[in-house]
Amino acid sequence: MKNSTKKTKPTGKNSSHSRNGAGRRTSVALPQQRTYDIPDYRLEKPSFTVRQTRKRDECCYEVSGDLNAPVPPIRESKYLDKRQCIEIYRWMVLNRKMEQALENLYKQGKVVGGVYFGLGQEACSCASAFALGKDDWLAPMIRNQGSLLVRGFEARDMMMQYMAKADSPTKGRDGTSHFGDISQRNVVSPISMLGDLVPVMAGVALGARLQGRNIAVMTYIGDGGQSTGVTYEGINFAAVQNLGLVLLVESNLWAYSTPSEMQYRVQDLAERAIGYGIPGVIVDGTDACQVYDAAHEAVERAHSGEGTTLIEAKMMRMKGHAIHDAADYVPKPMFEYWRRRDPIARFENYLVNVKKWLTPQEHQKLISEIESYLEKEREFAVNSPMPSPESAEGGVYCDDGCHQIKPKYGVPKARLRKSAPQGTRQEKAIHFK
Ligand SMILES: Cc1ncc(C[n+]2csc(CCOP(=O)(O)OP(=O)(O)O)c2C)c(N)n1
Ligand SMILES: [Mg+2]
């Protein structure tokens, strides 16, 4: 447990510009001073910082601190059993291997546009989506391809989408991952304007509430993207309305080429939850058990109408922003530090060596099955047709009825009431029971 409001010595002077509490006056503690708790489930708190510097005329970054700390173990889950742990591990391996296949397709010139990776973030994507129920909703961002797999999309969907094939989810109208499925899988398409998914998902939860249900709506925002105004507005609205928003803040230390040190002044982004009046927790985003437990508790809160939760998942973006970005600006020791904390290697060690839930043979079988599944998916996607030129004019603008969104859970019990006096325009008010 960490106290987000640091107790400092009563000096009567302004505090130094530390990362936490810059410029805050730290005079004698007042009797009514409030403190807030941000539960922190990590078994390790990395202690290093990144600083901007110059090499001749070029801006670059240096890292300093303890980069040789021992790798922490996986925290035992309060909720997951053996079968579920293996299932999450399987999704994580599939997530990674599918992205490796996408990288190869890109290098073979088969991909239209770029490719975005969630390397090092597989535990965050897969274990969080795994905590959702069938009736809950998910809105992934570009790095959450693992979440899409967990939610029932096949690898071929992602592959065909990146290759803009005719049978891809957007029928070749988009080259990256702007697709969802609002009728079967309850998945809202990613929105590239960072933060815009937050109010959209709050709206989904509100819609369900008006139809008499408390559901969980999960989405993700980066450590860079969380600074946008719409993120604040969306979380605040969800918080005020007690909507079941589960927001995973993917604290992966970089926003494109900007280190998190230059994105915000709080020590941990989970502290922002205090300002919204909602619970905030910190987890190690490379530990699937921690991610699942926090997501599960947030989903439970959502289902029981207790409202919004902010989960900060600390990890590292292990590649550049997208395939075109070699991430040369990242100090190499940072990659080495986080490579030792690889979410898949550590979970494998946990399942095979620590818990002995998988024998080496069973593990090998699991990997081979994923590989042969992916090979079939790749083959199918590569050999599927491109859209016909004549089809280009369709499916871009609204075709008749294509935007008709029907209530998912049932028509609201509404009654119409005439509220205006006779002779004036009739005003209709709808009341939900
Ligand atoms: C409102 C808005 N501003 C800027 C961008 C351009 N942009 C796309 S991704 C990105 C960096 C995002 O970093 P972060 O939120 O930390 O997510 P990460 O890529 O690390 O997962 C930026 C600046 C955008 N898409 N939307
Ligand atoms: Mg980031």
Side-chain angles (χ1 to χ4, degrees):
M1 294 283 254
K2 173 185 166 297
N3 234 339
S4 65
T5 309
K6 284 259 166 78
K7 284 182 185 131
T8 44
K9 279 190 188 146
T11 62
K13 289 183 185 153
N14 279 349
S15 63
S16 65
H17 279 236
S18 66
R19 174 116 195 212
N20 189 344
R24 194 186 296 158
R25 185 172 278 277
T26 54
S27 54
V28 187
L30 298 167
Q32 73 274 30
Q33 187 171 328
R34 286 178 259 183
T35 58
Y36 300 88
D37 283 332
I38 298 288
D40 186 344
Y41 291 104
R42 289 174 299 168
L43 295 174
E44 169 193 54
K45 293 174 183 100
S47 75
F48 51 81
T49 49
V50 174
R51 192 173 67 89
Q52 194 179 52
T53 170
R54 276 190 178 275
K55 255 192 209 141
R56 287 184 216 97
D57 279 346
E58 291 222 345
C59 157
C60 60
Y61 298 104
E62 272 176 7
V63 61
S64 56
D66 182 9
L67 287 146
N68 293 315
V71 178
I74 295 288
R75 184 188 269 278
E76 192 94 4
S77 169
K78 283 188 263 176
Y79 309 107
L80 292 168
D81 60 20
K82 168 183 164 178
R83 185 189 56 77
Q84 291 169 311
C85 281
I86 295 172
E87 208 176 320
I88 293 175
Y89 175 72
R90 193 186 160 279
W91 289 122
M92 288 164 62
V93 175
L94 179 58
N95 182 177
R96 175 154 316 169
K97 287 190 177 287
M98 184 191 69
E99 292 189 1
Q100 285 163 349
L102 286 170
E103 183 167 0
N104 290 340
L105 289 170
Y106 178 89
K107 288 176 179 165
Q108 290 163 4
K110 294 190 163 81
V111 165
V112 179
V115 180
Y116 296 81
F117 300 106
L119 187 67
Q121 304 188 191
E122 295 90 346
C124 181
S125 292
C126 299
S128 57
F130 195 79
L132 288 173
K134 195 172 175 296
D135 259 4
D136 296 324
W137 282 69
L138 174 90
M141 286 297 283
I142 45 171
R143 302 201 191 288
N144 306 117
Q145 307 195 99
S147 316
L148 286 170
L149 292 167
V150 173
R151 211 62 204 162
F153 282 96
E154 299 293 340
R156 70 177 63 179
D157 294 319
M158 266 70 91
M159 291 174 174
M160 289 195 293
Q161 180 75 10
Y162 270 117
M163 291 190 278
K165 295 288 185 132
D167 297 323
S168 69
T170 59
K171 314 225 175 303
R173 302 301 189 272
D174 174 80
T176 47
S177 48
H178 300 100
F179 66 92
D181 172 9
I182 57 171
S183 58
Q184 304 294 321
R185 300 179 179 96
N186 292 1
V187 173
V188 173
S189 165
I191 303 175
S192 279
M193 285 56 128
L194 301 175
D196 275 42
L197 274 177
V198 179
V200 168
M201 295 312 279
V204 171
L206 183 60
R209 161 89 50 86
L210 294 176
Q211 295 171 50
R213 292 200 185 206
N214 283 320
I215 59 163
V217 292
M218 180 179 284
T219 190
Y220 306 83
I221 186 77
D223 45 352
Q226 58 76 39
S227 297
T228 61
V230 69
T231 305
Y232 172 83
E233 292 163 32
I235 304 175
N236 189 56
F237 180 76
V240 165
Q241 294 288 334
N242 247 10
L243 299 169
L245 174 70
V246 179
L247 183 64
L248 273 290
V249 178
E250 299 188 297
S251 217
N252 63 6
L253 300 174
W254 296 87
Y256 224 117
S257 54
T258 307
S260 61
E261 276 81 354
M262 297 175 73
Q263 293 281 353
Y264 52 85
R265 290 290 291 176
V266 283
Q267 184 171 316
D268 300 303
L269 284 170
E271 288 170 28
R272 298 240 151 127
I274 297 163
Y276 297 113
I278 58 171
V281 300
I282 300 173
V283 293
D284 176 347
T286 64
D287 179 334
C289 290
Q290 288 185 37
V291 172
Y292 178 85
D293 283 11
H296 171 77
E297 285 172 9
V299 167
E300 296 273 279
R301 290 190 71 243
H303 288 167
S304 56
E306 288 171 66
T308 304
T309 310
L310 190 156
I311 302 167
E312 181 183 7
K314 306 251 197 194
M315 52 202 172
M316 167 80 176
R317 191 195 70 196
M318 291 300 283
K319 269 188 177 286
H321 178 69
I323 201 157
H324 60 268
D325 171 16
D328 278 340
Y329 45 83
V330 176
K332 299 290 168 287
M334 269 182 97
F335 276 135
E336 285 153 24
Y337 176 93
W338 287 101
R339 211 166 281 131
R340 290 195 292 276
R341 284 151 183 78
D342 181 84
I344 294 182
R346 271 164 61 227
F347 209 21
E348 176 193 331
N349 181 56
Y350 178 75
L351 297 174
V352 177
N353 300 322
V354 179
K355 302 296 272 186
K356 303 201 189 311
W357 282 345
L358 280 175
T359 64
Q361 293 74 22
E362 287 165 340
H363 179 249
Q364 195 42 53
K365 187 165 171 268
L366 181 149
I367 301 289
S368 315
E369 280 168 5
I370 290 172
E371 283 170 350
S372 59
Y373 162 76
L374 275 176
E375 185 43 32
K376 284 192 199 106
E377 294 292 287
R378 194 198 62 81
E379 192 77 14
F380 181 94
V382 167
N383 294 322
S384 70
M386 292 300 280
S388 67
E390 310 81 76
S391 73
E393 62 173 9
V396 177
Y397 299 105
C398 183
D399 297 331
D400 232 5
C402 77
H403 282 83
Q404 214 185 355
I405 298 176
K406 296 188 189 121
K408 180 102 189 174
Y409 303 109
V411 181
K413 293 189 185 99
R415 93 183 122 82
L416 297 176
R417 198 181 60 183
K418 288 177 193 165
S419 59
Q422 251 192 341
T424 64
R425 194 169 61 86
Q426 263 190 0
E427 307 233 321
K428 289 172 180 173
I430 297 178
H431 296 274
F432 297 99
K433 282 182 188 157

